[in-house]
Amino acid sequence: MLAAYAVTADADAPLNALRVGQIEPPPVPAGWVEVEVRAASLNHHDLFSLRGIGLAEDRLPMILGCDAAGVTAEGREVVVYAVINEPGFTGNDETYDPRRSLLSELYPGTLAEVVRVPAENIVAKPAELTFGEAACLPTAWLTAYRALFTSAALRPGDTVLIQGAGGGFATAAMVIGRAAGLRVWVTSRDHRRAERAVWLGAHQGFEQGARLPERVDAVLDSVGAATWSHSVNSLKPGGRLVTVGTTSGAEPRSAELTKIFFKPLHVVGSTMGTRAEFARLLQFLVSTGVRPVIDRTIPLADAADGFAAMIGGELFGKVVLEPGR
Ligand SMILES: NC(=O)c1ccc[n+]([C@@H]2O[C@H](COP(=O)([O-])OP(=O)(O)OC[C@H]3O[C@@H](n4cnc5c(N)ncnc54)[C@H](OP(=O)(O)O)[C@@H]3O)[C@@H](O)[C@H]2O)c1
């Protein structure tokens, strides 16, 4: 089948590690359900995999991709929940399973004509969403939903600062946050992206690192090292810093420990979301009419172009790949 997969790791030139072509469907545990992929979407996670981060060499070649929507053999329209728990995990928060993985880490991912997942990982696709829209939700949008409402515990009327306006996570958080009655501020390295964020629904856009008009209730930070100090400095006493990613690196110049204890702040790690949160996210989109921000929709065969745009920092929203085009 046609798929986009990693054949090696290349930290500096990740496109060298990518192949888009025919590959034999790799084996998966017995009983998993086959989904014919109608649309998949890219995440920074896929780029990390090509760079060798989080994907062990003995797992190669590995079909990339965490997110997809498609059709089962019985004709059910479904969206894939991307957190794969260790068999026997019994906790009620799937993200607390220390042995969990995302599709494309241990098992073949979604950038393919067909993906196989545990039966409990398929969720009915609301008829109101297209396959392309649904395919944007399992990683970036679910992470944004949990970060806003569970990890930052934000309520209507609160102010949230979202670092790095252009990413899939950041655009999700700004659109969901606005629809949920938050005051949404964003930062970007590029004033055009900050303006576009405002056009999309953020109340105000700022240059990365800029002094804000007032301190905020929570910061969602997926950028990491480059924005950490600004995130700490932007919070009110008692505010929440939700860290979900390290696109610019995981080692900030200062950990800002003194400010964190003195203000005092809550620093909360957040990753993906539960299946129950995913169901609520789908309902939230249906109820509010909010839809994912899609930068471009391209054939799966052109996946390398989507990765190149992500590497070049050109994106505003998600890249959707369609195997059938
Ligand atoms: N914890 C989880 O479960 C989870 C889920 C989804 C994503 N993530 C993580 O969240 C991060 C965001 O992923 P994504 O796919 O949404 O977007 P992304 O492509 O990683 O980009 C995020 C944004 O960060 C800013 N940025 C990028 N490089 C930067 C640098 N060197 N210095 C300063 N700012 C920089 C850019 O915003 P501007 O150009 O507008 O400044 C960019 O649009 C990734 O690290 C990803 O692994 C984690």
Side-chain angles (χ1 to χ4, degrees):
M1 66 177 177
L2 179 67
Y5 54 100
V7 287
T8 179
D10 194 322
D12 301 323
L15 282 180
N16 289 346
L18 176 70
R19 293 288 175 281
V20 183
Q22 297 295 318
I23 184 170
E24 196 60 30
V28 293
W32 283 27
V33 177
E34 191 168 290
V35 177
E36 182 191 306
V37 176
R38 295 289 172 83
S41 78
L42 294 188
N43 288 290
H44 206 97
H45 182 277
D46 305 311
L47 201 50
F48 282 141
S49 300
L50 291 171
R51 292 189 198 276
I53 302 167
L55 179 57
E57 217 176 316
D58 61 0
R59 297 271 164 197
L60 298 174
M62 175 61 83
I63 299 177
L64 300 168
C66 304
D67 296 353
V71 180
T72 64
E74 302 80 37
R76 289 171 58 206
E77 297 192 351
V78 297
V79 52
V80 166
Y81 170 66
V83 180
I84 310 292
N85 287 116
E86 178 81 348
F89 175 74
T90 52
N92 54 12
D93 187 321
E94 289 84 355
T95 72
Y96 289 176
D97 173 3
R99 302 181 73 87
R100 72 183 185 279
S101 68
L102 296 185
L103 286 169
S104 80
E105 290 176 353
L106 295 181
Y107 303 109
T110 58
L111 305 188
E113 289 174 306
V114 170
V115 64
R116 291 171 185 79
V117 295
E120 60 270 24
N121 283 62
I122 56 173
V123 178
K125 178 182 82 62
E128 290 86 347
L129 301 179
T130 65
F131 284 107
E133 289 165 348
C136 294
L137 305 177
T139 298
W141 278 66
L142 176 58
T143 304
Y145 183 91
R146 181 182 174 101
L148 286 164
F149 304 125
T150 307
S151 306
L154 286 161
R155 286 173 299 181
D158 286 343
T159 302
V160 62
L161 176 71
I162 300 161
Q163 301 279 17
F169 165 81
T171 51
M174 82 181 69
V175 174
I176 297 172
R178 175 73 190 232
L182 303 176
R183 181 162 61 159
V184 177
W185 290 351
V186 300
T187 68
S188 180
R189 297 167 297 176
D190 178 341
H191 71 92
R192 283 163 306 184
R193 268 205 286 278
E195 283 161 18
R196 190 147 176 219
V198 170
W199 180 79
L200 261 177
H203 291 91
Q204 241 178 303
F206 301 90
E207 224 175 88
Q208 215 167 67
R211 191 182 180 85
L212 304 178
E214 61 186 79
R215 292 203 161 90
V216 301
D217 298 292
V219 179
L220 307 191
D221 193 328
S222 68
V223 178
T227 50
W228 185 255
S229 292
H230 184 245
S231 296
V232 170
N233 289 328
S234 299
L235 281 163
K236 286 177 185 167
R240 288 183 171 239
L241 201 178
V242 179
T243 170
V244 305
T246 52
T247 297
S248 65
E251 292 179 17
R253 227 175 22 190
S254 165
E256 306 290 3
L257 295 180
T258 309
K259 286 176 185 163
I260 288 172
F261 79 70
F262 191 73
K263 274 176 105 168
L265 302 179
H266 302 264
V267 177
V268 186
S270 195
T271 195
M272 303 295 286
T274 63
R275 195 175 289 112
E277 286 165 333
F278 192 48
R280 286 204 295 276
L281 167 66
L282 294 174
Q283 186 54 50
F284 181 87
L285 266 65
V286 171
S287 311
T288 57
V290 159
R291 294 294 179 266
V293 183
I294 296 178
D295 181 277
R296 66 193 73 187
T297 300
I298 56 177
L300 173 61
D302 296 340
D305 297 343
F307 278 104
M310 184 178 273
I311 294 165
E314 296 165 27
L315 295 178
F316 198 93
K318 300 281 289 172
V319 175
V320 172
L321 302 177
E322 291 181 337
R325 285 215 324 188

